[in-house]
Amino acid sequence: MDNLERKTLLTHCSDERGLIAKITNICFKHQLNIIHNNEFVDNASGHFFMRTELEGTFDDKTLLADLDLALPTNSKRSLISSSRKKIVIMVTKEAHCLGDILMKAYDGSLDVEIAAVVGNYDKLQTLTERFDIPYHHISHEGLSREEHEEKMLEVIKGYDPRYVVLAKYMRVLTPNFVAQFPHKIINIHHSFLPAFIGAKPYQQAFDRGVKIIGATAHFVTNDLDEGPIIKQDVIPVDHNFSAADMAQAGRDVEKNVLSKALSKVVNDHVFVYGNKTVIL
Amino acid sequence: MDNLERKTLLTHCSDERGLIAKITNICFKHQLNIIHNNEFVDNASGHFFMRTELEGTFDDKTLLADLDLALPTNSKRSLISSSRKKIVIMVTKEAHCLGDILMKAYDGSLDVEIAAVVGNYDKLQTLTERFDIPYHHISHEGLSREEHEEKMLEVIKGYDPRYVVLAKYMRVLTPNFVAQFPHKIINIHHSFLPAFIGAKPYQQAFDRGVKIIGATAHFVTNDLDEGPIIKQDVIPVDHNFSAADMAQAGRDVEKNVLSKALSKVVNDHVFVYGNKTVIL
Amino acid sequence: MDNLERKTLLTHCSDERGLIAKITNICFKHQLNIIHNNEFVDNASGHFFMRTELEGTFDDKTLLADLDLALPTNSKRSLISSSRKKIVIMVTKEAHCLGDILMKAYDGSLDVEIAAVVGNYDKLQTLTERFDIPYHHISHEGLSREEHEEKMLEVIKGYDPRYVVLAKYMRVLTPNFVAQFPHKIINIHHSFLPAFIGAKPYQQAFDRGVKIIGATAHFVTNDLDEGPIIKQDVIPVDHNFSAADMAQAGRDVEKNVLSKALSKVVNDHVFVYGNKTVIL
Amino acid sequence: MDNLERKTLLTHCSDERGLIAKITNICFKHQLNIIHNNEFVDNASGHFFMRTELEGTFDDKTLLADLDLALPTNSKRSLISSSRKKIVIMVTKEAHCLGDILMKAYDGSLDVEIAAVVGNYDKLQTLTERFDIPYHHISHEGLSREEHEEKMLEVIKGYDPRYVVLAKYMRVLTPNFVAQFPHKIINIHHSFLPAFIGAKPYQQAFDRGVKIIGATAHFVTNDLDEGPIIKQDVIPVDHNFSAADMAQAGRDVEKNVLSKALSKVVNDHVFVYGNKTVIL
């Protein structure tokens, strides 16, 4: 059994009767074992999603061709190897999210290969290199936004990463940059109830006396902070928290939400559909 | 579309290749829409579980016969109408679990029909009757355990309930009673880390200085408090909690865990397999 | 010891050295036992808060006079009997928050006396009266907002409640109404990350694919939904939730947050300071 | 103000009227500012606890002498500098708890100085040294338990640590070792509801179908795993978790509980009284 491969088939299309039967029949015909299968129909949009973890000997081309014949014409399907995904992490100065991903990759609780870390400051270089991971310091100083991104793109693309993780990268990305990695860039930001716009959000949260502080991990699109949400969570705070304590609580929830979102993404559980995610 | 029925098909059997395809093919052949489908294989035991929510016009007999032909010989399948399930609740003196179920059934957040409440004391009669639900006070005084259960069984069976809920019914049931409702009796009890055996568990928990108090909802088997677990949760406590406060916290977590477990059960999400549950 | 009274002393004022000593010295002089004491200094504003639960024989007038002499001139202190607080609940049509408070008051897990329920519809009359609590149906139809509020105020004030609880009362209150109960009206509303303004918030939350839904309990001031926050919490949701399921999840978190906030308030744990609360 | 010191005064003794006044009067007399004050009376045992965070210029000897004069004869008090506490971490082979503490100390979210790591294997040496922290590999092979502990004690005592943290150190410590660090050794272990005794607890938890897995952090006493509990928490699991997945979930909750417990301890919030903790 050891030379059997594992792959995950993600399929989505308009819903119609018999889709599960069609897809699993094809897997059966290809003599593939279904290890896990999850399916979801969004009744509001009439859209069908299915995640199928398969084991066996794969003939990708024929399998996909068989699926294309059987499924509705608008169907999207991808067959993804279950091997460890390569990521590049982008950072600025804050260590908490990067450190959490580095340690979880190290101790095996997050199944990713960190190909490199790219930062517009050098503050996190030592930490990164302690884990034997290359760090590229690409300062934005003296460069236009486009020039800076061009330099980063060159480095990042050299690693051919499956995903780019913004682990508190504090600069806005241009549509051109985002377009290079459609639904492949994952960002994390703090979130408040109510929302606070503008500078010093933790000071505003403190002044307002909020009782919870949240974080949202999402795919990056050209709508800043408005891409499909992958994971959200909150942490309770109270009057004992200064604005600085609230910021620390925010860092805690940010790192937890980002690494949980990343885990779902790199294990091929996440569909993007419209501006939403379906996580199977 | 309004005269279409909804039913849930629960299937489990030894795992083998092609089961999902076989089952969904049969549903397809019967022109049934799959509203939700969830499947799970317990790789440790090689056992397959599938929950399929179907909509259409059902010919139950033919559908089940088709499934029996297609599936392994050890397969168990049931086709359950999605209509509201009838339950009978057994109580002693404590109001918290009964009150929570009564109110959730009233406001629609728990989809059950409470056919009756049976208590060995009359303390909860007024509360029950305020919700226009019959209350049967069947005292155990002067009766042997068997005589008492016989009287309760007669009343309960008169209602033909789908499930019997022990909402803090504080007497041990005999194997004969349990055997009348195999995997149909749901119980709730408090749980501690570490476990405390014997009388006054909250006093012991207090003396030990525990920081969490839990509750476990499970199906009742002849192993007291050892049947298949449906739901567990905990609530944090600290040094500010007296033994009485811990007991109150215990009541809070008990009622929440019981009503969540009950919701899963009455919406046909729960398989019992061996001494475990699979919740799809 | 049985004829000893219990009262809670809430003190707040500008911070200065020796305040705890001064207050506890006075309690000591009055031969009052301190059952619980909690103190907080908001270092940002330099403001001091102390909650002291006392037991003994009280001479309120002298005690408060002694405190006034000892404390800074801007100090506010109140000495509140620990007896059960009287509340009036205002409702419209939704049962979940009212039902939860009724049941918790009934089973003793929420220590309040519900003097009456006032509703602008009659839908919750039966539920209320089942708990032997008077229900006042005061329709707003054909009345100006002022006229309607005048009729409600007359009824509510007749009960002389310590707090007014808006358990999904769906009409905006005028500044005049709010001014009758300064920091005595508690409201609950749903909260989202990000925030959704306007009609059908759950539809918007669904369209946005949020992963958590929250609720905020706060005191009502003239800034709609912007008064001092008492309690916030969230509940996780996912792609399986329709807009209607999200609304149900929202009701669950609303009722939990409201009853927890109310418990803190009626047990005299909540200070209002500026637009924030300090909960000791 | 910059040359003012911060210290925390922990006091506990039999409860009697006027204790808060006495202690805060003495602080006032010493011209010390009270930054935070928390007090608790365990009414079951009639014992009083107070934590007072002070700022000013300290004359420790006089201050403590004044307290001794004023307080009951059984009182215990300690005046602890708020400077960063030195810890030594003991490990065996598992990285998760050590890695979490290393990273949190690095990014500033856990305020400790890790003086050294001592392991009976060398597996965690590289990880430790990447953070510029000395690692002492002291193998137990070929040594009696007493000889092994003697060698470790010599190394550990050389660092004069305030606390010793067992970050999955998998050998039982002798009473002699424990006696060197009374209430200064912190341990973490997994916890289950129900409890599973013996080897392979995660296999037993899997076989039993538990729905939560917990962890307990406690001070080490001679009662194995039975010392005063500092922190407990749980993580939900379900039928999708293999025994190995449950073990991974157990590691996650272990590291979170240990670092939260450690944070309370090193910030001087924890009293040990009898076999319990009071955390102020």
Side-chain angles (χ1 to χ4, degrees):
Chain A
M1 293 281 285
D2 275 358
N3 57 355
L4 294 181
E5 268 186 297
R6 282 214 180 190
K7 298 196 177 187
T8 301
L9 175 67
L10 301 183
T11 311
H12 68 106
C13 58
S14 301
D15 189 30
E16 58 178 45
R17 200 176 287 165
L19 286 171
I20 304 174
K22 282 177 183 167
I23 297 169
T24 55
N25 280 335
I26 289 169
C27 296
F28 187 35
K29 179 186 133 192
H30 278 255
Q31 297 195 287
L32 297 166
N33 269 322
I34 295 176
I35 306 298
H36 291 296
N37 192 67
N38 287 291
E39 167 270 346
F40 170 68
V41 176
D42 177 16
N43 291 310
S45 64
H47 209 75
F48 169 89
F49 302 83
M50 190 158 118
R51 177 188 188 272
T52 312
E53 228 176 290
L54 295 161
E55 188 180 59
T57 306
F58 288 82
D59 177 351
D60 290 33
K61 211 173 145 186
T62 318
L63 179 62
L64 293 173
D66 285 353
L67 287 164
D68 286 344
L69 267 177
L71 296 177
T73 49
N74 73 342
S75 72
K76 305 253 164 78
R77 73 286 169 292
S78 45
L79 186 63
I80 308 164
S81 166
S82 296
S83 62
R84 190 167 289 172
K85 303 296 183 301
K86 208 193 290 181
I87 65 170
V88 167
I89 303 175
M90 294 174 68
V91 298
T92 294
K93 288 179 176 174
E94 290 175 90
H96 59 289
C97 286
L98 174 64
D100 195 54
I101 297 171
L102 287 170
M103 191 58 82
K104 284 181 173 155
Y106 179 88
D107 75 14
S109 55
L110 181 64
D111 198 27
V112 291
E113 178 198 339
I114 305 171
V117 176
V118 175
N120 59 326
Y121 287 88
D122 65 359
K123 199 176 162 212
L124 301 172
Q125 180 146 7
T126 307
L127 176 64
T128 301
E129 290 176 354
R130 281 176 173 175
F131 287 85
D132 295 333
I133 290 165
Y135 187 93
H136 299 268
H137 173 206
I138 305 177
S139 173
H140 59 279
E141 284 184 48
L143 300 180
S144 73
R145 186 172 301 271
E146 287 70 22
E147 288 166 340
H148 182 233
E149 286 191 354
E150 205 50 59
K151 292 181 78 169
M152 292 196 298
L153 274 174
E154 199 186 324
V155 169
I156 294 169
K157 290 198 155 180
Y159 288 103
D160 190 24
R162 181 96 191 171
Y163 295 102
V164 175
V165 178
L166 308 186
K168 302 301 290 175
Y169 179 72
M170 300 307 281
R171 289 169 60 86
V172 175
L173 297 170
T174 67
N176 173 55
F177 189 101
V178 173
Q180 314 291 311
F181 306 100
H183 296 152
K184 300 293 180 199
I185 308 177
I186 298 157
N187 187 35
I188 182 74
H189 64 76
H190 47 61
S191 311
F192 301 95
L193 292 169
F196 302 110
I197 308 297
K200 299 199 177 179
Y202 285 106
Q203 185 62 47
Q204 290 186 70
F206 172 80
D207 292 340
R208 184 67 184 81
V210 301
K211 303 298 187 189
I212 51 177
I213 282 176
T216 297
H218 63 98
F219 288 113
V220 175
T221 60
N222 286 327
D223 278 334
L224 180 66
D225 290 351
E226 290 291 326
I229 296 171
I230 306 166
K231 174 85 184 164
Q232 299 185 292
D233 205 355
V234 300
I235 204 168
V237 294
D238 62 33
H239 62 269
N240 286 298
F241 285 65
S242 66
D245 294 335
M246 286 190 180
Q248 176 59 48
R251 287 190 288 271
D252 285 348
V253 68
E254 280 176 350
K255 79 178 177 192
N256 288 333
V257 167
L258 178 58
S259 68
K260 283 178 185 165
L262 189 53
S263 176
K264 288 294 180 192
V265 168
V266 298
N267 290 301
D268 309 314
H269 288 281
V270 182
F271 294 80
V272 177
Y273 175 64
N275 200 36
K276 300 166 69 167
T277 61
V278 168
I279 302 181
L280 294 180
Chain B
M1 292 282 283
D2 274 359
N3 56 356
L4 294 180
E5 269 186 295
R6 285 215 177 188
K7 299 195 177 189
T8 301
L9 175 67
L10 301 184
T11 311
H12 68 105
C13 58
S14 302
D15 190 29
E16 58 178 45
R17 201 175 287 163
L19 285 172
I20 303 174
K22 282 177 184 167
I23 298 169
T24 55
N25 280 335
I26 289 169
C27 297
F28 187 35
K29 178 186 132 192
H30 279 255
Q31 297 196 285
L32 297 167
N33 270 322
I34 295 176
I35 306 298
H36 292 296
N37 193 66
N38 287 290
E39 167 270 346
F40 169 70
V41 175
D42 177 17
N43 291 311
S45 64
H47 209 76
F48 169 89
F49 301 84
M50 191 159 119
R51 177 186 188 274
T52 312
E53 229 177 290
L54 295 162
E55 189 180 58
T57 306
F58 289 82
D59 176 350
D60 289 33
K61 212 174 144 185
T62 317
L63 178 62
L64 293 173
D66 285 353
L67 288 163
D68 285 344
L69 268 177
L71 296 177
T73 50
N74 73 343
S75 72
K76 303 255 165 77
R77 73 288 170 292
S78 45
L79 186 63
I80 308 165
S81 166
S82 297
S83 62
R84 189 167 290 171
K85 303 296 182 301
K86 209 193 287 182
I87 65 172
V88 167
I89 302 175
M90 293 173 68
V91 297
T92 294
K93 287 178 177 174
E94 291 176 88
H96 58 290
C97 286
L98 173 63
D100 196 52
I101 297 171
L102 287 171
M103 191 59 82
K104 283 180 173 154
Y106 179 88
D107 76 13
S109 56
L110 181 64
D111 197 27
V112 291
E113 178 197 339
I114 305 171
V117 177
V118 175
N120 59 327
Y121 287 89
D122 64 358
K123 199 174 161 213
L124 300 172
Q125 179 146 4
T126 306
L127 177 63
T128 301
E129 290 177 352
R130 280 175 173 174
F131 286 86
D132 294 334
I133 290 165
Y135 186 93
H136 299 268
H137 172 207
I138 305 178
S139 173
H140 60 282
E141 283 185 49
L143 300 180
S144 71
R145 187 172 301 272
E146 287 71 22
E147 288 166 339
H148 183 232
E149 286 190 353
E150 205 50 57
K151 292 181 77 170
M152 291 196 298
L153 274 174
E154 197 186 325
V155 168
I156 294 169
K157 291 199 155 181
Y159 288 104
D160 190 25
R162 182 95 192 172
Y163 296 102
V164 174
V165 178
L166 307 186
K168 304 300 289 177
Y169 179 72
M170 301 307 281
R171 290 168 62 87
V172 175
L173 296 170
T174 68
N176 174 56
F177 189 102
V178 173
Q180 314 291 311
F181 306 100
H183 295 153
K184 300 292 180 200
I185 308 177
I186 299 157
N187 189 34
I188 183 73
H189 63 77
H190 46 61
S191 310
F192 301 96
L193 293 170
F196 302 109
I197 310 296
K200 298 197 178 179
Y202 285 106
Q203 185 62 46
Q204 290 185 72
F206 172 80
D207 292 340
R208 184 67 185 82
V210 302
K211 303 298 187 188
I212 50 177
I213 282 176
T216 298
H218 63 97
F219 287 113
V220 175
T221 60
N222 287 326
D223 280 334
L224 181 65
D225 289 351
E226 290 291 328
I229 296 171
I230 307 164
K231 174 85 186 165
Q232 298 185 293
D233 205 355
V234 300
I235 204 169
V237 293
D238 63 33
H239 63 269
N240 285 298
F241 285 66
S242 65
D245 294 335
M246 287 191 178
Q248 176 60 47
R251 286 190 288 270
D252 285 347
V253 69
E254 280 177 348
K255 78 179 178 190
N256 288 333
V257 167
L258 178 58
S259 67
K260 283 177 185 165
L262 189 53
S263 175
K264 288 294 181 193
V265 169
V266 298
N267 290 300
D268 309 312
H269 290 280
V270 182
F271 293 80
V272 176
Y273 175 64
N275 200 35
K276 301 166 66 167
T277 61
V278 169
I279 301 182
L280 294 181
Chain C
M1 292 282 283
D2 274 359
N3 57 356
L4 295 181
E5 269 187 294
R6 284 212 178 190
K7 299 196 179 188
T8 301
L9 175 67
L10 301 183
T11 310
H12 69 105
C13 57
S14 301
D15 190 28
E16 57 178 45
R17 202 176 286 165
L19 286 172
I20 304 174
K22 282 177 185 167
I23 298 169
T24 55
N25 280 335
I26 290 169
C27 297
F28 187 35
K29 178 187 133 193
H30 279 255
Q31 297 196 285
L32 298 167
N33 270 321
I34 295 176
I35 306 297
H36 292 295
N37 192 67
N38 288 290
E39 168 270 346
F40 170 70
V41 175
D42 178 16
N43 292 310
S45 65
H47 209 75
F48 169 89
F49 302 84
M50 190 159 120
R51 177 188 187 273
T52 312
E53 229 177 291
L54 295 162
E55 188 180 58
T57 306
F58 289 82
D59 177 350
D60 291 33
K61 211 173 146 187
T62 317
L63 179 61
L64 293 173
D66 285 353
L67 288 164
D68 287 344
L69 267 177
L71 297 177
T73 50
N74 73 343
S75 72
K76 303 255 163 81
R77 74 287 169 294
S78 45
L79 185 65
I80 308 165
S81 166
S82 296
S83 61
R84 189 167 290 169
K85 303 295 183 300
K86 209 193 289 180
I87 65 171
V88 167
I89 303 175
M90 293 174 69
V91 298
T92 294
K93 288 178 176 174
E94 291 177 88
H96 58 289
C97 287
L98 174 63
D100 196 52
I101 297 171
L102 287 171
M103 191 58 84
K104 284 179 173 154
Y106 180 87
D107 76 12
S109 56
L110 181 64
D111 198 29
V112 290
E113 179 198 339
I114 306 171
V117 177
V118 174
N120 59 325
Y121 287 88
D122 64 359
K123 199 175 162 214
L124 301 172
Q125 179 148 4
T126 306
L127 176 63
T128 302
E129 290 176 353
R130 280 176 174 174
F131 286 85
D132 295 333
I133 289 164
Y135 186 93
H136 298 269
H137 173 207
I138 305 178
S139 173
H140 60 279
E141 283 184 51
L143 300 181
S144 72
R145 187 172 301 272
E146 287 69 22
E147 289 166 339
H148 182 233
E149 287 191 351
E150 205 49 58
K151 291 180 77 169
M152 291 197 298
L153 274 175
E154 197 186 326
V155 168
I156 295 169
K157 292 199 154 181
Y159 288 102
D160 189 25
R162 182 95 192 174
Y163 296 102
V164 174
V165 178
L166 307 185
K168 304 301 286 177
Y169 179 72
M170 300 307 280
R171 290 168 61 86
V172 175
L173 296 171
T174 66
N176 173 56
F177 189 101
V178 173
Q180 313 291 312
F181 306 100
H183 295 153
K184 300 292 180 199
I185 307 176
I186 299 158
N187 188 34
I188 182 73
H189 63 78
H190 47 60
S191 311
F192 301 95
L193 293 168
F196 302 111
I197 309 296
K200 297 196 179 181
Y202 285 106
Q203 186 62 45
Q204 291 185 70
F206 173 81
D207 293 341
R208 184 66 186 81
V210 300
K211 303 297 187 189
I212 50 176
I213 281 176
T216 297
H218 63 98
F219 287 112
V220 175
T221 59
N222 287 326
D223 278 335
L224 181 65
D225 289 351
E226 290 290 328
I229 296 172
I230 306 165
K231 174 87 185 161
Q232 297 186 294
D233 204 356
V234 300
I235 204 168
V237 295
D238 62 33
H239 62 269
N240 285 298
F241 285 65
S242 65
D245 294 336
M246 287 190 178
Q248 176 60 48
R251 286 191 288 270
D252 284 348
V253 69
E254 280 176 350
K255 79 179 177 192
N256 289 332
V257 168
L258 178 58
S259 67
K260 283 177 184 164
L262 188 53
S263 176
K264 288 294 181 193
V265 169
V266 298
N267 290 301
D268 309 313
H269 289 280
V270 182
F271 293 80
V272 177
Y273 176 64
N275 200 36
K276 302 167 66 166
T277 61
V278 169
I279 301 182
L280 294 181
Chain D
M1 293 281 285
D2 274 359
N3 57 356
L4 294 181
E5 269 187 295
R6 283 213 179 191
K7 299 197 178 190
T8 300
L9 175 67
L10 301 183
T11 310
H12 68 105
C13 58
S14 301
D15 190 29
E16 56 177 47
R17 201 175 288 164
L19 286 171
I20 303 174
K22 283 176 183 167
I23 298 170
T24 54
N25 280 335
I26 290 169
C27 297
F28 186 36
K29 177 186 133 191
H30 279 255
Q31 297 196 287
L32 298 166
N33 269 322
I34 295 177
I35 306 298
H36 291 295
N37 192 67
N38 288 290
E39 167 271 346
F40 170 69
V41 175
D42 178 16
N43 292 311
S45 65
H47 209 74
F48 169 90
F49 302 84
M50 190 159 119
R51 177 187 189 273
T52 313
E53 230 177 289
L54 295 161
E55 189 180 58
T57 306
F58 289 81
D59 175 350
D60 289 32
K61 211 173 145 185
T62 316
L63 178 62
L64 293 172
D66 285 352
L67 288 164
D68 286 344
L69 268 179
L71 298 176
T73 50
N74 73 343
S75 72
K76 305 255 164 78
R77 73 288 169 294
S78 45
L79 185 64
I80 308 164
S81 165
S82 296
S83 62
R84 192 168 288 173
K85 303 295 181 303
K86 210 193 287 180
I87 65 172
V88 168
I89 302 175
M90 294 175 67
V91 299
T92 294
K93 288 178 175 175
E94 291 176 89
H96 58 289
C97 286
L98 174 63
D100 195 54
I101 297 171
L102 286 170
M103 191 58 83
K104 284 180 173 155
Y106 180 88
D107 75 13
S109 56
L110 181 63
D111 197 28
V112 290
E113 178 198 339
I114 305 171
V117 177
V118 174
N120 59 326
Y121 289 89
D122 65 359
K123 200 175 161 214
L124 301 172
Q125 180 148 7
T126 307
L127 176 63
T128 302
E129 290 175 353
R130 280 177 173 174
F131 287 85
D132 295 334
I133 290 164
Y135 186 93
H136 299 268
H137 173 206
I138 304 176
S139 174
H140 60 281
E141 283 185 48
L143 299 180
S144 71
R145 187 173 300 272
E146 287 70 22
E147 289 167 339
H148 182 232
E149 287 191 353
E150 206 50 58
K151 292 180 77 169
M152 291 197 299
L153 274 175
E154 198 186 325
V155 169
I156 294 168
K157 290 198 155 182
Y159 288 104
D160 190 24
R162 181 96 192 172
Y163 295 101
V164 174
V165 178
L166 307 186
K168 303 300 288 176
Y169 178 73
M170 300 307 280
R171 290 169 60 84
V172 175
L173 296 171
T174 67
N176 174 55
F177 189 102
V178 173
Q180 314 291 312
F181 307 99
H183 295 152
K184 300 292 181 198
I185 309 176
I186 299 157
N187 188 35
I188 182 74
H189 64 76
H190 47 60
S191 311
F192 301 96
L193 293 169
F196 302 111
I197 309 296
K200 298 198 177 178
Y202 286 106
Q203 185 62 45
Q204 290 186 70
F206 173 80
D207 293 340
R208 183 65 186 83
V210 302
K211 304 296 187 190
I212 51 177
I213 282 175
T216 298
H218 62 98
F219 288 112
V220 176
T221 59
N222 287 327
D223 278 334
L224 180 67
D225 289 351
E226 291 291 327
I229 296 171
I230 306 164
K231 174 86 185 163
Q232 300 185 292
D233 205 356
V234 300
I235 204 169
V237 295
D238 62 33
H239 62 270
N240 286 297
F241 285 65
S242 66
D245 294 336
M246 286 190 179
Q248 176 59 49
R251 287 190 287 273
D252 284 348
V253 68
E254 280 177 350
K255 78 179 178 192
N256 288 333
V257 167
L258 178 58
S259 68
K260 282 177 186 167
L262 189 52
S263 175
K264 288 295 180 192
V265 169
V266 298
N267 290 301
D268 310 313
H269 289 280
V270 182
F271 293 80
V272 177
Y273 175 63
N275 200 36
K276 301 167 67 168
T277 60
V278 168
I279 302 182
L280 292 181

